[in-house]
Coordinates of all heavy atoms in Angstrom, one line a residue:
E1 N -2.1 -17.5 -4.1 CA -1.5 -16.5 -3.2 C -0.6 -15.6 -4.0 O -0.5 -14.4 -3.8 CB -0.9 -17.0 -2.0 CG -1.9 -17.7 -1.0 CD -1.2 -18.3 0.2 OE1 0.0 -18.1 0.4 OE2 -1.9 -18.9 0.9
Q2 N 0.2 -16.2 -4.9 CA 1.2 -15.4 -5.7 C 0.4 -14.5 -6.6 O 0.9 -13.3 -6.8 CB 2.1 -16.3 -6.5 CG 3.1 -17.1 -5.7 CD 3.9 -18.0 -6.5 OE1 3.5 -18.5 -7.5 NE2 5.2 -18.2 -6.1
S3 N -0.6 -14.9 -7.2 CA -1.4 -14.1 -8.1 C -2.0 -12.9 -7.4 O -2.0 -11.8 -7.8 CB -2.5 -14.9 -8.8 OG -3.4 -15.4 -7.9
T4 N -2.6 -13.2 -6.2 CA -3.2 -12.1 -5.4 C -2.1 -11.1 -5.0 O -2.3 -9.9 -5.1 CB -3.8 -12.7 -4.1 OG1 -4.8 -13.7 -4.6 CG2 -4.5 -11.6 -3.3
T5 N -0.9 -11.5 -4.6 CA 0.1 -10.6 -4.2 C 0.6 -9.8 -5.3 O 0.7 -8.6 -5.2 CB 1.3 -11.5 -3.7 OG1 0.9 -12.2 -2.6 CG2 2.5 -10.5 -3.3
H6 N 0.7 -10.4 -6.5 CA 1.2 -9.7 -7.7 C 0.1 -8.6 -8.1 O 0.5 -7.4 -8.3 CB 1.4 -10.6 -8.8 CG 1.9 -10.0 -10.1 ND1 1.1 -9.4 -11.0 CD2 3.1 -9.9 -10.5 CE1 1.8 -8.9 -12.0 NE2 3.1 -9.2 -11.7
I7 N -1.1 -9.0 -8.1 CA -2.2 -8.1 -8.5 C -2.3 -6.9 -7.5 O -2.4 -5.8 -7.9 CB -3.5 -8.8 -8.7 CG1 -3.4 -9.7 -9.9 CG2 -4.7 -7.9 -8.8 CD1 -4.6 -10.7 -10.1
F8 N -2.3 -7.2 -6.2 CA -2.5 -6.1 -5.2 C -1.3 -5.2 -5.2 O -1.4 -4.0 -4.9 CB -2.8 -6.7 -3.8 CG -4.3 -6.9 -3.7 CD1 -4.9 -8.1 -3.7 CD2 -5.1 -5.8 -3.5 CE1 -6.2 -8.3 -3.6 CE2 -6.5 -5.9 -3.3 CZ -7.0 -7.2 -3.4
N9 N -0.1 -5.7 -5.4 CA 1.1 -4.8 -5.5 C 0.9 -3.8 -6.6 O 1.1 -2.6 -6.5 CB 2.4 -5.6 -5.7 CG 2.9 -6.2 -4.4 OD1 2.5 -5.8 -3.3 ND2 3.6 -7.3 -4.5
R10 N 0.5 -4.3 -7.8 CA 0.2 -3.4 -8.9 C -1.0 -2.5 -8.7 O -0.9 -1.3 -9.1 CB 0.0 -4.3 -10.2 CG 1.1 -5.1 -10.6 CD 2.3 -4.3 -11.0 NE 3.3 -5.2 -11.5 CZ 4.4 -4.9 -12.1 NH1 4.5 -3.6 -12.4 NH2 5.3 -5.7 -12.4
F11 N -2.0 -3.0 -8.0 CA -3.2 -2.2 -7.7 C -2.8 -1.0 -6.9 O -3.2 0.1 -7.2 CB -4.2 -3.1 -7.0 CG -5.4 -2.4 -6.4 CD1 -6.3 -1.9 -7.3 CD2 -5.6 -2.3 -5.1 CE1 -7.5 -1.2 -6.8 CE2 -6.7 -1.6 -4.6 CZ -7.6 -1.1 -5.4
Y12 N -2.0 -1.2 -5.8 CA -1.6 -0.1 -5.0 C -0.7 0.9 -5.7 O -0.8 2.1 -5.5 CB -1.0 -0.6 -3.7 CG -2.0 -1.2 -2.8 CD1 -1.9 -2.5 -2.4 CD2 -3.1 -0.4 -2.3 CE1 -2.9 -3.1 -1.5 CE2 -4.1 -1.0 -1.5 CZ -4.0 -2.3 -1.1 OH -4.9 -2.8 -0.3
R13 N 0.1 0.4 -6.6 CA 1.0 1.3 -7.4 C 0.1 2.2 -8.3 O 0.3 3.4 -8.5 CB 1.9 0.5 -8.3 CG 3.1 0.0 -7.6 CD 4.1 -0.6 -8.6 NE 5.0 -1.4 -7.9 CZ 5.9 -2.2 -8.5 NH1 5.9 -2.3 -9.8 NH2 6.8 -2.9 -7.8
H14 N -0.9 1.6 -8.9 CA -1.8 2.3 -9.8 C -2.7 3.3 -9.0 O -2.9 4.4 -9.5 CB -2.7 1.4 -10.6 CG -1.9 0.6 -11.6 ND1 -1.1 1.2 -12.6 CD2 -1.9 -0.7 -11.9 CE1 -0.5 0.2 -13.3 NE2 -1.0 -0.9 -12.9
L15 N -3.1 2.9 -7.8 CA -3.8 3.9 -6.9 C -2.9 5.1 -6.6 O -3.4 6.2 -6.6 CB -4.2 3.2 -5.6 CG -5.5 2.4 -5.7 CD1 -5.7 1.8 -4.3 CD2 -6.7 3.2 -6.1
A16 N -1.7 4.8 -6.2 CA -0.7 5.9 -5.9 C -0.5 6.8 -7.1 O -0.2 8.0 -7.0 CB 0.6 5.3 -5.4
G17 N -0.7 6.2 -8.3 CA -0.5 7.0 -9.5 C -1.7 7.9 -9.9 O -1.7 8.6 -10.8
G18 N -2.8 7.7 -9.1 CA -3.9 8.6 -9.2 C -5.1 8.0 -10.0 O -6.1 8.6 -10.2
L19 N -5.0 6.7 -10.3 CA -6.2 6.1 -11.0 C -7.3 5.8 -10.0 O -7.1 5.5 -8.9 CB -5.7 4.7 -11.6 CG -4.9 4.7 -12.9 CD1 -4.5 3.3 -13.3 CD2 -5.6 5.5 -14.0
P20 N -8.6 5.9 -10.5 CA -9.7 5.4 -9.7 C -9.5 3.9 -9.4 O -8.9 3.2 -10.1 CB -10.9 5.7 -10.6 CG -10.5 6.7 -11.6 CD -9.0 6.4 -11.8
K21 N -10.2 3.5 -8.3 CA -10.0 2.1 -7.8 C -10.3 1.1 -8.9 O -9.6 0.1 -9.1 CB -10.8 1.9 -6.6 CG -10.3 2.7 -5.4 CD -11.3 2.6 -4.3 CE -11.0 3.8 -3.3 NZ -12.2 4.2 -2.6
G22 N -11.4 1.3 -9.6 CA -11.8 0.3 -10.6 C -10.8 0.2 -11.7 O -10.5 -0.9 -12.2
Q23 N -10.3 1.3 -12.2 CA -9.3 1.3 -13.3 C -8.0 0.7 -12.8 O -7.3 0.1 -13.5 CB -9.1 2.7 -13.8 CG -10.3 3.2 -14.6 CD -10.0 4.6 -15.2 OE1 -9.0 5.2 -15.0 NE2 -11.0 5.2 -15.8
A24 N -7.7 1.0 -11.5 CA -6.4 0.5 -10.9 C -6.5 -1.0 -10.8 O -5.5 -1.7 -11.2 CB -6.2 1.1 -9.5
L25 N -7.6 -1.6 -10.4 CA -7.7 -3.0 -10.4 C -7.7 -3.6 -11.8 O -7.1 -4.6 -12.0 CB -9.0 -3.4 -9.6 CG -9.2 -4.9 -9.4 CD1 -8.1 -5.5 -8.7 CD2 -10.6 -5.1 -8.7
Q26 N -8.4 -3.0 -12.7 CA -8.4 -3.5 -14.1 C -7.0 -3.5 -14.6 O -6.6 -4.5 -15.3 CB -9.3 -2.6 -14.9 CG -9.4 -3.1 -16.4 CD -10.3 -2.1 -17.2 OE1 -10.4 -0.9 -16.9 NE2 -11.0 -2.7 -18.1
Q27 N -6.3 -2.4 -14.4 CA -4.9 -2.4 -15.0 C -4.0 -3.4 -14.3 O -3.1 -4.0 -14.9 CB -4.3 -0.9 -14.8 CG -3.0 -0.7 -15.5 CD -3.1 -1.0 -17.0 OE1 -4.0 -0.5 -17.7 NE2 -2.2 -1.8 -17.5
A28 N -4.2 -3.6 -13.0 CA -3.4 -4.5 -12.2 C -3.6 -5.9 -12.8 O -2.7 -6.7 -12.9 CB -3.7 -4.5 -10.7
K29 N -4.9 -6.3 -13.1 CA -5.2 -7.6 -13.7 C -4.5 -7.7 -15.1 O -4.0 -8.8 -15.4 CB -6.7 -7.8 -13.8 CG -7.3 -8.0 -12.4 CD -8.8 -8.2 -12.6 CE -9.5 -8.5 -11.3 NZ -10.9 -8.8 -11.4
R30 N -4.6 -6.6 -15.8 CA -3.9 -6.7 -17.2 C -2.4 -6.9 -17.0 O -1.8 -7.6 -17.8 CB -4.2 -5.4 -17.9 CG -5.6 -5.3 -18.5 CD -5.7 -4.0 -19.2 NE -7.1 -3.9 -19.7 CZ -7.7 -2.8 -20.1 NH1 -7.0 -1.6 -20.0 NH2 -8.9 -2.8 -20.5
D31 N -1.8 -6.2 -16.0 CA -0.4 -6.3 -15.8 C -0.1 -7.8 -15.4 O 0.9 -8.4 -15.9 CB 0.1 -5.4 -14.7 CG 0.0 -4.0 -15.0 OD1 -0.1 -3.6 -16.2 OD2 0.1 -3.1 -14.1
Y32 N -0.9 -8.4 -14.6 CA -0.7 -9.8 -14.2 C -0.8 -10.7 -15.5 O 0.0 -11.6 -15.6 CB -1.8 -10.2 -13.2 CG -1.8 -11.6 -12.8 CD1 -0.8 -12.2 -12.0 CD2 -2.7 -12.5 -13.3 CE1 -0.7 -13.5 -11.7 CE2 -2.7 -13.9 -13.0 CZ -1.7 -14.4 -12.2 OH -1.7 -15.7 -11.9
L33 N -1.8 -10.5 -16.3 CA -2.0 -11.3 -17.5 C -0.9 -11.1 -18.5 O -0.5 -12.0 -19.2 CB -3.3 -11.1 -18.1 CG -4.5 -11.6 -17.3 CD1 -5.8 -11.1 -17.9 CD2 -4.5 -13.1 -17.1
N34 N -0.3 -9.9 -18.5 CA 0.8 -9.7 -19.5 C 2.2 -10.0 -18.9 O 3.2 -10.0 -19.6 CB 0.8 -8.2 -19.9 CG -0.4 -7.8 -20.7 OD1 -0.9 -8.7 -21.4 ND2 -0.9 -6.6 -20.6
S35 N 2.3 -10.4 -17.7 CA 3.5 -10.8 -17.1 C 3.9 -12.2 -17.6 O 3.1 -12.9 -18.2 CB 3.5 -10.8 -15.6 OG 2.6 -11.7 -15.1
E36 N 5.2 -12.6 -17.3 CA 5.7 -13.9 -17.8 C 5.2 -14.9 -16.8 O 5.9 -15.2 -15.8 CB 7.2 -13.8 -18.0 CG 7.6 -12.9 -19.0 CD 9.1 -12.8 -19.2 OE1 9.8 -13.8 -18.8 OE2 9.6 -11.9 -19.8
L37 N 4.1 -15.6 -17.1 CA 3.6 -16.6 -16.3 C 3.4 -17.9 -17.1 O 3.2 -17.8 -18.3 CB 2.2 -16.2 -15.7 CG 2.1 -15.0 -14.8 CD1 0.7 -14.6 -14.6 CD2 2.7 -15.3 -13.5
P38 N 3.3 -19.0 -16.4 CA 2.9 -20.2 -17.1 C 1.4 -20.0 -17.6 O 0.7 -19.3 -16.9 CB 3.0 -21.3 -16.1 CG 3.9 -20.8 -15.0 CD 3.8 -19.3 -15.1
S39 N 1.1 -20.6 -18.7 CA -0.3 -20.4 -19.2 C -1.4 -20.8 -18.3 O -2.4 -20.2 -18.2 CB -0.4 -21.1 -20.6 OG -0.3 -22.5 -20.4
F40 N -1.2 -21.8 -17.4 CA -2.2 -22.2 -16.5 C -2.5 -21.2 -15.5 O -3.6 -21.1 -15.0 CB -1.9 -23.6 -15.9 CG -0.9 -23.6 -14.8 CD1 -1.3 -23.4 -13.5 CD2 0.5 -23.7 -15.1 CE1 -0.3 -23.3 -12.5 CE2 1.4 -23.7 -14.1 CZ 1.0 -23.5 -12.8
Q41 N -1.5 -20.3 -15.1 CA -1.8 -19.3 -14.1 C -2.5 -18.1 -14.7 O -2.9 -17.2 -13.9 CB -0.4 -18.9 -13.5 CG 0.1 -19.9 -12.5 CD 1.4 -19.4 -11.9 OE1 2.2 -18.6 -12.4 NE2 1.6 -19.8 -10.6
K42 N -2.7 -18.0 -16.0 CA -3.5 -16.9 -16.6 C -4.9 -17.3 -16.6 O -5.7 -16.5 -17.0 CB -2.9 -16.6 -18.0 CG -1.5 -16.1 -17.9 CD -1.0 -15.6 -19.3 CE 0.3 -15.1 -19.2 NZ 0.8 -14.5 -20.4
S43 N -5.3 -18.4 -16.1 CA -6.7 -18.8 -16.0 C -7.5 -17.9 -15.1 O -6.9 -17.4 -14.1 CB -6.8 -20.3 -15.5 OG -8.1 -20.6 -15.1
P44 N -8.7 -17.6 -15.4 CA -9.5 -16.7 -14.5 C -9.6 -17.2 -13.1 O -9.9 -16.4 -12.2 CB -10.9 -16.7 -15.2 CG -10.6 -16.9 -16.6 CD -9.5 -17.9 -16.6
Y45 N -9.4 -18.5 -12.9 CA -9.4 -19.1 -11.5 C -8.5 -18.3 -10.6 O -8.7 -18.1 -9.4 CB -9.0 -20.5 -11.6 CG -8.8 -21.2 -10.3 CD1 -9.9 -21.6 -9.5 CD2 -7.5 -21.3 -9.7 CE1 -9.7 -22.2 -8.3 CE2 -7.3 -21.9 -8.5 CZ -8.4 -22.4 -7.8 OH -8.2 -23.0 -6.6
Y46 N -7.3 -17.8 -11.1 CA -6.3 -17.1 -10.3 C -6.6 -15.6 -10.1 O -6.0 -15.1 -9.2 CB -4.9 -17.3 -11.0 CG -4.5 -18.8 -10.9 CD1 -4.7 -19.6 -12.0 CD2 -3.9 -19.2 -9.8 CE1 -4.3 -20.9 -11.9 CE2 -3.5 -20.6 -9.7 CZ -3.7 -21.4 -10.7 OH -3.3 -22.7 -10.7
W47 N -7.4 -15.0 -10.9 CA -7.5 -13.6 -10.8 C -8.9 -13.0 -10.8 O -9.2 -11.9 -10.4 CB -6.7 -12.8 -11.9 CG -7.1 -13.3 -13.3 CD1 -6.5 -14.2 -14.0 CD2 -8.1 -12.8 -14.1 NE1 -7.1 -14.4 -15.3 CE2 -8.1 -13.5 -15.3 CE3 -9.1 -11.8 -14.0 CZ2 -9.0 -13.2 -16.4 CZ3 -10.0 -11.5 -15.0 CH2 -9.9 -12.2 -16.2
A48 N -9.9 -13.8 -11.3 CA -11.3 -13.3 -11.5 C -12.0 -13.0 -10.2 O -13.0 -12.3 -10.1 CB -12.1 -14.2 -12.3
G49 N -11.6 -13.6 -9.1 CA -12.3 -13.4 -7.8 C -12.0 -12.1 -7.2 O -12.7 -11.7 -6.2
L50 N -11.0 -11.4 -7.6 CA -10.7 -10.1 -7.1 C -11.6 -9.0 -7.8 O -11.4 -8.7 -8.9 CB -9.2 -9.7 -7.3 CG -8.2 -10.7 -6.7 CD1 -6.8 -10.4 -7.1 CD2 -8.4 -10.7 -5.2
V51 N -12.6 -8.5 -7.0 CA -13.5 -7.5 -7.6 C -13.6 -6.3 -6.6 O -13.3 -6.4 -5.4 CB -14.9 -8.1 -7.8 CG1 -14.9 -9.2 -8.8 CG2 -15.5 -8.6 -6.5
L52 N -13.9 -5.2 -7.2 CA -14.1 -4.0 -6.4 C -15.5 -3.9 -5.9 O -16.5 -4.0 -6.7 CB -13.7 -2.8 -7.3 CG -13.9 -1.4 -6.6 CD1 -13.0 -1.3 -5.4 CD2 -13.7 -0.3 -7.6
I53 N -15.7 -3.7 -4.6 CA -17.0 -3.5 -4.0 C -16.9 -2.1 -3.3 O -16.0 -1.9 -2.5 CB -17.3 -4.6 -3.1 CG1 -17.4 -5.9 -3.8 CG2 -18.6 -4.3 -2.4 CD1 -17.6 -7.1 -2.9
G54 N -17.9 -1.3 -3.5 CA -18.0 0.0 -2.8 C -17.6 1.2 -3.7 O -17.7 1.1 -4.9
D55 N -17.1 2.2 -3.0 CA -16.7 3.5 -3.7 C -15.5 3.3 -4.6 O -14.5 2.8 -4.2 CB -16.4 4.5 -2.6 CG -16.1 5.9 -3.1 OD1 -16.4 6.1 -4.3 OD2 -15.4 6.6 -2.4
G56 N -15.7 3.7 -5.8 CA -14.6 3.5 -6.8 C -13.8 4.8 -7.1 O -13.0 4.8 -8.0
A57 N -14.0 5.8 -6.2 CA -13.3 7.1 -6.4 C -11.8 6.9 -6.2 O -11.4 6.0 -5.4 CB -13.9 8.1 -5.5
P58 N -11.0 7.8 -6.8 CA -9.6 7.7 -6.5 C -9.3 8.0 -5.0 O -10.0 8.6 -4.3 CB -9.0 8.9 -7.4 CG -10.0 9.2 -8.4 CD -11.3 8.8 -7.7
V59 N -8.1 7.5 -4.6 CA -7.7 7.7 -3.2 C -6.8 8.9 -3.2 O -5.9 9.0 -4.0 CB -7.0 6.4 -2.7 CG1 -6.4 6.6 -1.3 CG2 -7.9 5.2 -2.7
A60 N -7.0 9.8 -2.2 CA -6.2 11.0 -2.1 C -5.1 10.6 -1.1 O -5.4 10.5 0.1 CB -7.0 12.2 -1.6
F61 N -3.9 10.5 -1.5 CA -2.8 10.2 -0.6 C -2.2 11.5 -0.1 O -1.9 12.5 -0.9 CB -1.6 9.5 -1.4 CG -2.0 8.1 -1.7 CD1 -2.5 7.7 -2.9 CD2 -1.9 7.1 -0.7 CE1 -2.9 6.4 -3.2 CE2 -2.2 5.8 -1.0 CZ -2.7 5.4 -2.3
K62 N -2.1 11.6 1.2 CA -1.6 12.8 1.8 C 0.0 12.7 1.9 O 0.5 11.6 2.1 CB -2.1 13.0 3.2 CG -3.6 13.2 3.2 CD -4.2 13.4 4.6 CE -5.7 13.5 4.6 NZ -6.2 13.7 5.9
T63 N 0.6 13.8 1.7 CA 2.1 13.9 1.8 C 2.5 14.8 3.0 O 1.7 15.6 3.4 CB 2.7 14.4 0.5 OG1 2.2 15.7 0.2 CG2 2.4 13.4 -0.7
G64 N 3.6 14.6 3.4 CA 4.1 15.4 4.5 C 3.8 14.8 5.9 O 3.1 13.8 6.0
W65 N 4.2 15.5 6.9 CA 4.0 15.1 8.3 C 2.8 15.8 8.9 O 2.8 17.0 8.8 CB 5.3 15.4 9.1 CG 6.4 14.5 8.7 CD1 7.3 14.8 7.7 CD2 6.9 13.3 9.3 NE1 8.2 13.8 7.6 CE2 8.0 12.9 8.6 CE3 6.4 12.6 10.4 CZ2 8.7 11.7 9.0 CZ3 7.1 11.4 10.7 CH2 8.2 11.0 10.0
P66 N 1.9 15.1 9.5 CA 0.8 15.7 10.2 C 1.3 16.5 11.4 O 2.3 16.2 12.0 CB -0.1 14.6 10.6 CG 0.3 13.4 9.9 CD 1.8 13.6 9.5
L67 N 0.6 17.6 11.7 CA 1.0 18.4 12.8 C 1.1 17.7 14.1 O 2.0 17.9 14.9 CB 0.0 19.6 12.9 CG 0.3 20.6 14.0 CD1 1.7 21.2 13.8 CD2 -0.7 21.7 14.1
W68 N 0.1 16.7 14.4 CA 0.2 16.0 15.6 C 1.4 15.1 15.7 O 1.9 14.9 16.8 CB -1.1 15.2 15.8 CG -1.3 14.0 14.8 CD1 -1.9 14.1 13.6 CD2 -0.8 12.7 15.0 NE1 -1.8 12.9 13.0 CE2 -1.2 12.0 13.8 CE3 -0.1 12.1 16.0 CZ2 -0.8 10.7 13.6 CZ3 0.2 10.7 15.8 CH2 -0.1 10.0 14.6
M69 N 1.9 14.6 14.6 CA 3.2 13.8 14.7 C 4.4 14.7 15.0 O 5.3 14.3 15.8 CB 3.4 13.1 13.4 CG 2.4 12.0 13.1 SD 2.8 11.1 11.6 CE 3.9 9.8 12.2
I70 N 4.4 15.9 14.5 CA 5.5 16.8 14.7 C 5.5 17.2 16.2 O 6.5 17.2 16.9 CB 5.5 18.0 13.8 CG1 5.7 17.6 12.4 CG2 6.5 19.1 14.2 CD1 5.4 18.7 11.3
A71 N 4.3 17.6 16.7 CA 4.1 18.0 18.1 C 4.5 16.9 19.0 O 5.2 17.0 20.0 CB 2.7 18.5 18.3
G72 N 4.0 15.7 18.7 CA 4.3 14.5 19.5 C 5.7 14.2 19.6 O 6.3 13.8 20.6
G73 N 6.4 14.3 18.4 CA 7.8 14.0 18.4 C 8.6 15.0 19.2 O 9.6 14.7 19.9
G74 N 8.2 16.3 19.2 CA 8.8 17.3 20.0 C 8.6 17.1 21.4 O 9.6 17.2 22.2
L75 N 7.4 16.7 21.8 CA 7.2 16.4 23.3 C 8.0 15.2 23.7 O 8.5 15.2 24.8 CB 5.7 16.2 23.5 CG 4.8 17.4 23.4 CD1 3.3 17.0 23.5 CD2 5.2 18.4 24.5
L76 N 8.1 14.2 22.9 CA 8.8 13.0 23.2 C 10.3 13.4 23.4 O 11.0 12.9 24.3 CB 8.7 11.9 22.1 CG 9.4 10.6 22.4 CD1 8.8 9.9 23.6 CD2 9.2 9.7 21.2
L77 N 10.8 14.2 22.5 CA 12.2 14.6 22.6 C 12.5 15.4 23.9 O 13.5 15.1 24.6 CB 12.6 15.4 21.4 CG 14.1 15.9 21.3 CD1 15.0 14.8 21.3 CD2 14.3 16.8 20.1
C78 N 11.6 16.3 24.2 CA 11.7 17.1 25.4 C 11.7 16.1 26.6 O 12.5 16.3 27.6 CB 10.6 18.1 25.5 SG 10.8 19.5 24.4
G79 N 10.8 15.2 26.6 CA 10.7 14.2 27.7 C 12.0 13.4 27.9 O 12.5 13.2 29.0
V80 N 12.6 13.0 26.8 CA 13.8 12.2 26.9 C 14.9 13.1 27.4 O 15.7 12.6 28.2 CB 14.1 11.6 25.5 CG1 15.6 11.1 25.4 CG2 13.1 10.5 25.1
L81 N 15.0 14.3 26.9 CA 16.0 15.2 27.4 C 15.9 15.5 28.9 O 16.9 15.6 29.7 CB 16.0 16.5 26.6 CG 16.5 16.4 25.1 CD1 16.3 17.7 24.4 CD2 17.9 15.9 25.1
M82 N 14.6 15.7 29.4 CA 14.4 16.0 30.8 C 14.8 14.8 31.7 O 15.4 14.9 32.7 CB 12.9 16.3 31.0 CG 12.6 17.7 30.4 SD 10.9 18.1 30.5 CE 10.5 18.1 32.2
V83 N 14.5 13.6 31.2 CA 14.9 12.4 32.0 C 16.4 12.2 32.0 O 17.0 11.9 33.0 CB 14.2 11.1 31.4 CG1 14.8 9.8 31.9 CG2 12.7 11.1 31.6
G84 N 17.0 12.5 30.9 CA 18.5 12.4 30.8 C 19.1 13.4 31.8 O 20.1 13.1 32.5
Y85 N 18.6 14.6 31.8 CA 19.1 15.7 32.7 C 18.9 15.2 34.2 O 19.8 15.4 35.0 CB 18.4 17.0 32.4 CG 18.8 18.1 33.4 CD1 20.0 18.7 33.3 CD2 17.9 18.5 34.4 CE1 20.4 19.7 34.1 CE2 18.2 19.5 35.3 CZ 19.5 20.1 35.1 OH 19.8 21.1 36.0
W86 N 17.7 14.7 34.5 CA 17.4 14.3 35.8 C 18.3 13.2 36.3 O 18.7 13.1 37.5 CB 15.9 13.9 35.9 CG 15.5 13.5 37.2 CD1 15.2 14.3 38.3 CD2 15.2 12.1 37.7 NE1 14.9 13.5 39.4 CE2 14.8 12.2 39.0 CE3 15.3 10.9 37.1 CZ2 14.5 11.1 39.8 CZ3 14.9 9.8 37.8 CH2 14.6 9.9 39.1
L87 N 18.6 12.2 35.4 CA 19.5 11.1 35.8 C 20.9 11.5 36.0 O 21.6 10.9 36.8 CB 19.4 10.0 34.7 CG 18.1 9.2 34.6 CD1 18.1 8.3 33.4 CD2 17.8 8.5 35.9
R88 N 21.4 12.5 35.3 CA 22.8 13.0 35.5 C 23.0 13.8 36.8 O 24.1 14.0 37.2 CB 23.2 13.8 34.3 CG 23.4 13.0 33.1 CD 23.9 13.8 32.0 NE 24.2 13.0 30.8 CZ 25.0 13.3 29.8 NH1 25.6 14.5 29.9 NH2 25.1 12.5 28.8
R89 N 21.9 14.3 37.3 CA 22.0 15.1 38.6 C 22.4 14.3 39.7 O 22.6 13.4 40.2 CB 20.7 15.8 38.9 CG 20.4 16.9 38.0 CD 19.1 17.6 38.3 NE 19.1 18.1 39.6 CZ 18.0 18.4 40.3 NH1 16.9 18.3 39.7 NH2 18.1 18.9 41.5

């Protein structure tokens, strides 16, 4: 479980850096093998089972707030203010 956690943390970092999924997984495995581990944990038993299946294209991470979140937040704020006004009456 520790090896999987380590590899997937690195995998997601490399994805966020813009690498395609296959290269991100490969680099994450290299990072794992280059980390300070006992030699028995560098055995393929701990990392070789993690393979990429499916589309290997890079992931496009969106930045910023989606319009529906901004609108929903505004409506929620208006609702809270209206309830507060109604309770004070």
Side-chain angles (χ1 to χ4, degrees):
E1 291 178 7
Q2 287 178 331
S3 61
T4 303
T5 302
H6 184 275
I7 291 170
F8 272 102
N9 283 335
R10 299 292 182 169
F11 173 69
Y12 288 119
R13 281 187 195 170
H14 293 306
L15 278 180
L19 286 179
K21 295 171 195 146
Q23 288 179 5
L25 182 59
Q26 182 182 33
Q27 189 59 48
K29 287 180 179 182
R30 285 182 181 158
D31 293 346
Y32 175 74
L33 292 172
N34 291 331
S35 64
E36 296 181 17
L37 298 168
S39 61
F40 75 91
Q41 285 184 328
K42 293 184 179 187
S43 167
Y45 172 81
Y46 291 95
W47 55 267
L50 300 172
V51 296
L52 177 66
I53 298 174
D55 182 20
V59 177
F61 289 96
K62 296 180 182 178
T63 58
W65 292 82
L67 183 59
W68 66 269
M69 288 183 92
I70 295 170
L75 288 173
L76 181 65
L77 180 62
C78 288
V80 168
L81 291 175
M82 289 172 65
V83 168
Y85 176 76
W86 182 71
L87 290 175
R88 287 187 180 201
R89 287 180 58 197

